[in-house]
Amino acid sequence: MDKILIEGGNRLIGEVSISGSKNAALPILSAALLTDDWNTFYNVPKLKDIATIKTLLLHIGTEIDEDGSTLKIRTRNPETTEAPYELVKTMRASAIVLGPLLTRFKRARVSLPGGCAIGARPMNLHLLALEKMGADIKIESGYIDAKTDRLKGAKIYFDISTVTGTENIMMAAALADGTTILENAACEPEVAELADVLNKMGANIKGAGTDCITIKGVDRLKPATHTVMPDRIEAGTFMIAAGMTKGDILIKNCPMHNLEALTVKLREAGVEIQAESASGGGAVRIKGNNSLRSVDIKTLPYPGFPTDMQAQIMAMMSIANGLSIITENVFENRFMHVSELKRMGADIRIEGRNAIVKGRSSLNSAPVMATDLRASASLILAGLAAEGVTEISRVYHLDRGYEKIEEKLLKLGAKIKRVKE
Ligand code: EPU
């Protein structure tokens, strides 16, 4: 297992370019199951989670032709419509193949993902929706066994806004008989991007990006060509890195229009943010100042403050002036990074869904352990700002969602290196 060593205290200065979005690419690659000819996807990030979905698709019988960040992908005759436990347990987003497999091949056997470090994360809402669309679903030996002659359009209300739930059902409904209406649908930009790809394939989807999505089913879909959007969470993580190191970074390919909730809070905290081009994919300059101010944060589904940025902003609040209350509303157990940040001197108390962070003038280095993807990012940020050398173990979590992170940080002047444990 690898670990990362960071010598903190260096201002990050220079330019960084944001890679393709992990959470957009995962459903887009599984959407390729809906068509029988070659799709072309550009700007697919090289990440562990993307490798996992590729392994799963290859197992199903999908053909993949890869050239750098371009993926050509088609599924003619699948060898199986099963997503095995061995793969789903390493990445729960593998369950995103359920909707496409079932709607196109009328049968899917997908392992239930099981628990996760950040919460129970059940799939009940995905299954309820598919049942409403006429699927026959049984849970047997830890597997979802789903069958249908053809899914039928239905009116579906999600009790909780669910990102991959909305994506799974949107893909299922694209080839269903009749119209499906999704209410309280997730509004995340990655959902809107998937709808874009499906519409390029010939689907008839309206309203994606709002909480009511209408999908008129069609009989066949054709392949699509699409460039994956930049990763808003990677961009946000670099913004915080600039803020915490009093740095000056130009973030290229930055999806500012999807980062409103974060940038409002960062400006309130005293970070300077200057968009260099008006919208979408532009460059943004981020400057950290000598003193950071505390802000309160409540995570919510989009357009609220993203839960995927909660651990990172907590690292920042650990060195801000004053008291910050961070409320995690999306996942019930997403505070695993707190005890690690405390090992670095952070003053944080947890009360239920709230973390009360009393900012200190600095953090100290310590050996710490990454527990999930965004927790790893928060420890990297804390390490960049801390005095001394921070040693982060179990960094494989980081490789799931940040492309070439050490390389990008090194170019900005960070003192960071990966070593074998
Ligand atoms: N939920 C249910 N039942 C369901 C589905 C969800 O109760 O059937 C609950 C979850 O337990 C959670 C809430 O609904 O409390 C929201 O979960 P959601 O389904 O939206 O999460 P997800 O689709 O599994 C995606 C991202 C996560 C991100 C969340 C929230 C992907 C591949 N993953 O997960 O990304 O945190 O939405 O925005 O898109 C990450 O990248 O680090 C990551 C965890």
Side-chain angles (χ1 to χ4, degrees):
M1 265 195 279
D2 294 351
K3 63 182 173 186
I4 282 182
L5 303 181
I6 304 176
E7 190 181 328
N10 294 291
R11 287 183 70 206
L12 297 192
I13 294 171
E15 288 182 10
V16 66
S17 184
I18 300 306
S19 300
S21 157
K22 163 177 87 74
N23 289 348
L26 289 171
I28 288 174
L29 294 186
S30 42
L33 288 169
L34 294 165
T35 68
D36 70 354
D37 216 334
W38 290 103
N39 296 273
T40 306
F41 300 129
Y42 300 109
N43 201 33
V44 178
K46 282 219 177 320
L47 298 167
K48 183 77 184 67
D49 276 8
I50 299 296
T52 306
I53 196 91
K54 283 192 312 199
T55 307
L56 173 57
L57 291 170
L58 290 170
H59 167 84
I60 289 169
T62 300
E63 297 163 83
I64 302 178
D65 184 6
E66 190 170 355
D67 181 10
S69 63
T70 301
L71 248 65
K72 290 195 189 304
I73 172 165
R74 81 168 171 187
T75 315
R76 280 255 149 108
N77 302 308
E79 282 155 27
T80 173
T81 52
E82 178 173 303
Y85 178 60
E86 291 65 43
L87 288 171
V88 181
K89 76 173 182 203
T90 65
M91 182 184 73
R92 25 182 328 112
S94 307
I96 197 77
V97 297
L98 174 62
L101 283 176
L102 181 62
T103 200
R104 178 158 167 226
F105 303 111
K106 319 295 178 217
R107 179 91 202 243
R109 199 166 174 270
V110 174
S111 169
L112 275 168
C116 164
I118 62 178
R121 305 182 75 184
M123 283 191 64
N124 57 321
L125 301 174
H126 304 228
L127 302 187
L128 271 173
L130 289 173
E131 277 178 337
K132 247 190 139 181
M133 296 174 77
D136 170 17
I137 296 183
K138 290 191 179 61
I139 306 289
E140 276 170 0
S141 317
Y143 276 78
I144 303 161
D145 202 344
K147 285 183 223 150
T148 182
D149 292 330
R150 185 174 180 191
L151 294 173
K152 291 182 187 51
K155 192 162 180 178
I156 289 153
Y157 172 80
F158 288 111
D159 284 340
I160 304 174
S161 164
T162 160
V163 177
T164 47
T166 304
E167 292 166 344
N168 232 337
I169 304 309
M170 208 162 66
M171 289 192 274
L175 283 176
D177 180 17
T179 300
T180 301
I181 298 175
L182 306 182
E183 286 182 344
N184 196 27
C187 304
E188 268 68 5
E190 293 78 12
V191 174
E193 167 115 329
L194 174 64
D196 232 27
V197 174
L198 295 172
N199 282 337
K200 285 182 184 176
M201 290 176 168
N204 185 343
I205 303 177
K206 294 204 168 72
T210 75
D211 63 0
C212 182
I213 305 179
T214 304
I215 307 127
K216 283 191 184 148
V218 297
D219 291 337
R220 260 179 90 78
L221 292 171
K222 57 181 194 297
T225 296
H226 187 81
T227 302
V228 176
M229 68 200 279
D231 195 305
R232 62 189 168 106
I233 305 302
E234 187 197 3
T237 304
F238 277 102
M239 287 182 176
I240 293 187
M244 286 182 73
T245 63
K246 305 178 182 59
D248 185 348
I249 304 184
L250 187 73
I251 305 184
K252 291 171 144 177
N253 210 20
C254 180
M256 265 298 266
H257 51 299
N258 294 329
L259 284 161
E260 192 66 20
L262 174 70
T263 51
V264 164
K265 289 293 174 180
L266 290 182
R267 285 191 170 116
E268 241 182 80
V271 178
E272 283 179 48
I273 303 174
Q274 181 79 46
E276 310 250 314
S277 77
S279 70
V284 179
R285 188 163 177 203
I286 315 289
K287 277 172 82 176
N289 282 316
N290 276 334
S291 81
L292 289 166
R293 291 186 289 275
S294 290
V295 290
D296 290 341
I297 302 285
K298 287 180 171 40
T299 68
L300 285 170
Y302 191 83
F305 190 95
T307 173
D308 291 345
M309 288 301 307
Q310 180 258 105
Q312 300 90 314
I313 199 110
M314 191 180 296
M316 183 180 214
M317 290 301 107
S318 308
I319 53 164
N321 275 320
L323 200 73
S324 159
I325 300 179
I326 300 180
T327 311
E328 174 54 57
N329 290 310
V330 179
F331 291 111
E332 66 273 21
N333 191 30
R334 208 173 197 179
F335 281 145
M336 304 275 278
H337 42 283
V338 169
S339 45
E340 301 302 307
L341 288 172
K342 282 169 83 165
R343 303 194 68 245
M344 298 179 69
D347 183 346
I348 308 173
R349 196 173 81 240
I350 297 178
E351 282 183 12
R353 285 192 169 241
N354 299 315
I356 298 141
V357 188
K358 204 164 152 195
R360 309 182 66 123
S361 55
S362 64
L363 295 174
N364 53 259
S365 57
V368 287
M369 197 172 73
T371 49
D372 71 72
L373 170 57
R374 309 305 171 188
S376 318
S378 83
L379 297 176
I380 296 266
L381 293 168
L384 290 169
E387 286 162 12
V389 177
T390 299
E391 210 181 285
I392 307 170
S393 57
R394 299 208 181 161
V395 291
Y396 53 85
H397 291 291
L398 200 66
D399 300 330
R400 296 185 59 176
Y402 288 91
E403 190 180 55
K404 297 187 184 152
I405 184 139
E406 298 115 87
E407 212 177 287
K408 289 184 183 184
L409 286 170
L410 269 171
K411 262 184 72 186
L412 293 170
K415 291 198 174 144
I416 179 168
K417 71 175 175 193
R418 187 182 287 240
V419 293
K420 295 261 172 241
E421 247 174 328

